[in-house]
Amino acid sequence: MTTIYLIRHAEAEGNLYRIAQGQANSIITDRGWRQIQALERRFADIPVDAVYASDLYRTCATASAIYRPKGLPLHRRRDLREICVGVWEEKTWGEIAREDPEQLRNFNSALHLWHVEGAETPQAVQARLLAAVRDIAAANEGKTAAVFSHGCAIRLLLAAVQGIPLEELGRTPTGGNTAVSLLRAENGRLEVVWRDDVSHLTDPAFIRGDTVKKRANGLEPGLYFRPLGPEQADFPAVCAGRTPERMDGALVGYLEETPVGVVAFDDRREADRGRGWISLLAVAEPWRRRGYGVQLIGQAVLHYRPRKRDHLRLPPPETEAAAGFYREFGFAPAPDGDAWEKDIGYDPEFLGA
């Protein structure tokens, strides 16, 4: 018999910024790293013989909770990846809701009816996950393996093992970030012992004062974005009370048809040092403190990472409230100047071969 701990990745950028990450290589958030630390403490006294993960960054990073402290190699497998969402990849959920509301409804509540250009079918994901886990079980007979995958992929796998048809998938949960499920495998047969446990995120024995609170999910699907048009030249001042001195481009975030925030870029500043500059990030007064500002940060990450910038910078916050907001999402005073910055680069350890 093989014991398998099936584990979802920690909170990653797509979860936080409300972006469909699918098979895109998003990185772990600061909150996600706290989840990983709690997961490491949970597994400190649990024997594990082998560690597997999809070859995507966020699962490899999460797997470090087990393979690093136990001195084990990490086995990367492409067949453990999340479902490919085709043309939805790296779009905001707000954009998807605007462009394809019917298929978004299907994705959320009737996955067997979901179809998007370039995407995998749920049946194909189930088949490859089942084959991968059975292969891992056969290779670790009599041992214990930790297998790291993704929310939708795990949900589909568990439904298949529990005999729940795709038409009834809606009555099954999607485990939270770092949720742990326990499977047993014997003679090619898989059994779910229990599923979707996140007790390590609330148990004092595992969090050690680093409380990981569940974020509200009531803002889905969130904002969609369009370039700032000439007719909106005064909108940055409406949001922030000023227009940035340098602005090489800007995106406006919309809730339905209403503009609620803006993020502006200073592309030339410190480009030679691998730094991307946000010259302005602001949410209009009626829409503040509702969780939209972090989605503007997400657009800045998507803007600068393809331009090979591994740090994101912005002017020092002008108020304590603003400073608290930026600290929450990974910014801190830069050591070399009058700026705050956030690391958005990849750690080579977690990149697939």
Side-chain angles (χ1 to χ4, degrees):
M1 183 180 70
T2 307
T3 299
I4 297 173
Y5 289 99
L6 183 63
I7 305 166
R8 186 186 177 192
H9 65 79
E11 183 184 80
E13 290 172 322
N15 306 123
L16 179 60
Y17 300 145
R18 306 309 310 135
I19 294 166
Q21 50 194 353
Q23 296 191 0
N25 247 345
S26 56
I27 68 174
I28 298 295
T29 67
D30 292 337
R31 179 173 183 263
W33 279 111
R34 293 193 295 274
Q35 295 171 342
I36 289 170
Q37 290 165 2
L39 189 66
E40 178 180 339
R41 291 189 280 266
R42 174 177 183 159
F43 276 87
D45 299 321
I46 297 176
V48 175
D49 301 295
V51 182
Y52 296 80
S54 89
D55 60 348
L56 296 177
Y57 189 98
R58 58 193 185 271
T59 39
C60 293
T62 307
S64 69
I66 296 178
Y67 78 75
R68 275 179 175 174
K70 297 186 185 298
L72 297 170
L74 175 62
H75 304 283
R76 293 174 168 87
R77 295 187 60 133
R78 185 181 178 90
D79 51 7
L80 293 172
R81 281 187 174 195
E82 180 61 291
I83 187 171
C84 173
V85 294
V87 296
W88 284 10
E89 294 276 346
E90 293 195 293
K91 287 187 177 182
T92 68
W93 290 110
E95 180 80 7
I96 292 166
R98 181 177 174 81
E99 292 182 348
D100 204 354
E102 179 181 359
Q103 289 307 322
L104 181 59
R105 286 192 295 271
N106 287 340
F107 187 79
N108 287 329
S109 59
L111 196 58
H112 63 291
L113 300 177
W114 177 73
H115 58 89
V116 168
E117 180 184 349
E120 284 183 284
T121 65
Q123 294 88 342
V125 177
Q126 275 189 329
R128 67 172 166 83
L129 263 291
L130 279 168
V133 171
R134 285 177 174 142
D135 184 61
I136 290 168
N140 292 277
E141 177 63 35
K143 299 178 180 179
T144 297
V147 177
F148 290 80
S149 187
H150 306 259
C152 183
I154 289 173
R155 187 185 187 197
L156 286 165
L157 171 65
L158 293 176
V161 175
Q162 293 182 310
I164 299 169
L166 282 175
E167 292 79 4
E168 298 179 23
L169 191 70
R171 68 181 177 89
T172 69
T174 297
N177 291 117
T178 68
V180 182
S181 300
L182 179 63
L183 280 63
R184 292 196 180 116
E186 192 167 13
N187 299 323
R189 181 178 177 275
L190 294 172
E191 173 194 8
V192 177
V193 181
W194 42 260
R195 60 179 287 176
D196 303 322
D197 180 72
V198 290
S199 59
H200 53 281
L201 300 184
T202 57
D203 190 329
F206 302 130
I207 59 177
R208 295 186 185 176
D210 297 325
T211 304
V212 183
K213 297 180 181 177
K214 182 176 176 61
R215 286 200 176 103
N217 213 22
L219 292 175
E220 291 191 44
L223 305 182
Y224 68 93
F225 293 86
R226 294 289 183 269
L228 179 72
E231 73 285 357
Q232 297 173 298
D234 62 342
F235 187 60
V238 169
C239 289
R242 64 181 177 86
T243 301
E245 293 181 8
R246 297 172 62 175
M247 188 168 64
D248 294 322
L251 294 172
V252 176
Y254 289 84
L255 186 64
E256 297 181 350
E257 303 303 318
T258 303
V260 301
V262 61
V263 57
F265 311 117
D266 187 351
D267 288 341
R268 291 165 289 179
R269 188 172 181 179
E270 293 195 285
D272 59 338
R273 304 182 71 178
R275 293 166 179 165
W277 269 86
I278 298 173
S279 54
L280 181 71
L281 187 149
V283 175
E285 176 58 43
W287 306 102
R288 292 176 187 169
R289 294 170 292 278
R290 301 190 187 188
Y292 297 126
V294 68
Q295 296 179 50
L296 301 175
I297 295 175
Q299 291 303 299
V301 173
L302 290 179
H303 178 80
Y304 279 119
R305 187 175 286 139
R307 291 167 169 80
K308 308 301 182 185
R309 315 293 175 87
D310 55 14
H311 284 82
L312 196 57
R313 287 195 160 191
L314 46 75
E318 297 177 356
T319 67
E320 280 302 314
F325 166 79
Y326 288 117
R327 283 196 186 96
E328 180 180 358
F329 297 112
F331 286 87
D336 64 343
D338 191 26
W340 280 40
E341 71 177 11
K342 172 184 176 68
D343 187 345
I344 62 169
Y346 290 118
D347 185 332
E349 178 181 353
F350 307 129
L351 285 172

